[in-house]
Amino acid sequence: MAKKTYSIALIGGDGTGPEVAQEGVKVVNTAAAKFGFKLNFTPYDFGAARYLKTGETLPDSAIAEMKKHHAIFLGAIGHPDVKPGILELGILLKMRFALDQYINFRPVRLYPGVETPLKGKGPEDINFIVIRENTGGIYTGMGGVTRLGTPDEIATQLMVYDRRTVDRCLRYAFELKRRRNAANPKLAEKPITLIHKRNVLTHCGDLWFRAFEEMGSRDFPELKRDYNHVDAANMWFVKNPEWFDVAVTENLFGDIITDLGAMIQGGLGVASGGNINPDGVSMFEPMGGSAPKYTGLNVINPIAAIGAAGMMLDILGEHQAAAAVEQAILATTPKMKSQAAGRMGFSTTAVGDLVASAV
Ligand code: IPM
Ligand code: MN
């Protein structure tokens, strides 16, 4: 029988993006060989270099092209010569919206041997997942400006949510929590936590809260539920990260708290993310940027990219291979001196080799 083959769009992107992406590819190819499937990577050159040359970010034809693949794997996008907003909106957000990747899946996990700035906390305390809604809220770009450039200028940017968008995100989070509890019954003690700001955002916050309570009590009555205001959640991420298992939140709050999450798990070198459409094409990426000053030096940390590539295997349905990648990362981080670029005790490619050989 022919091996199962997955077609993957590979967008290395800018700066150190291609270097870390390459290590992700290396590791998942090793896992594929071991677990009897095949990954077919097709490279695309979207990013700053193409934009600076042609003025093009992500042409509409690219969206149609992306839909032909099983998944997208992205290194990093961003360049100091490109004005902020152009590549973010033109590539990253366009992809999320056009492919309806409505879940942003961000594990906050402290790997063994990795230093956290949180005194007294270890890998058993920092291991949760933030489900960030990824297509709505302030990110929709609704709003506008009048009297531009005058002392009377008015700008608005609206937080937009409809019940369907809220419900589909909550359902994903509840189902994830149910699966995690089933795999590890001790996790049933921990709640699924809704994070918002309903004491001030009384319209959107109320929509999220009611939807959370209704769905939770009706369809997931066995799951403990909790609610945190987002400012308080920031405090608890630092003071009591062990309280969290699955946290679900709207788009902008999710953006902000997951950078904090990345820091408590040891930095952007280890933080992975998935932009997921459960019924469509998802995109996986390290959370870190293109780190221009480290480009081409073979010193950037590829662990986040490798983690994202492993996450991609899981979403493709290759659960055993994904678990093997995760185990290989767990076996590798204790050997590294640091997770910071240039201080790992290994080069980028050597870290990739270490993980690959542990798969
Ligand atoms: C992220 C990034 C993006 C976001 C930017 C680059 C548009 O910060 O993925 O968290 O705000 O979502
Ligand atoms: Mn962000």
Side-chain angles (χ1 to χ4, degrees), residues 136-197:
I138 274 180
Y139 278 73
T140 53
M142 288 185 73
V145 59
T146 54
R147 304 173 194 166
L148 178 69
T150 75
D152 300 320
E153 179 168 342
I154 300 173
T156 60
Q157 202 105 36
L158 302 180
M159 179 179 275
V160 181
Y161 270 107
D162 61 278
R163 181 70 190 244
R164 189 183 70 95
T165 299
V166 171
D167 275 345
R168 69 181 183 174
C169 176
L170 290 173
R171 186 164 297 283
Y172 186 93
F174 276 120
E175 283 174 355
L176 172 70
K177 179 63 175 144
R178 183 175 270 170
R179 282 200 305 278
R180 281 171 70 84
N181 289 4
N184 178 1
K186 276 187 69 179
L187 288 178
E189 293 160 20
K190 298 190 190 187
I192 173 173
T193 310
L194 173 68
I195 296 174
H196 210 290
K197 183 73 185 173

Side-chain angles (χ1 to χ4, degrees), residues 3 27-38 320-321 324 356-359:
K3 275 190 186 173
V27 171
V28 288
N29 272 338
T30 307
K34 182 165 175 189
F35 290 90
F37 60 96
K38 205 170 165 314
Q320 275 187 308
S357 66
V359 165

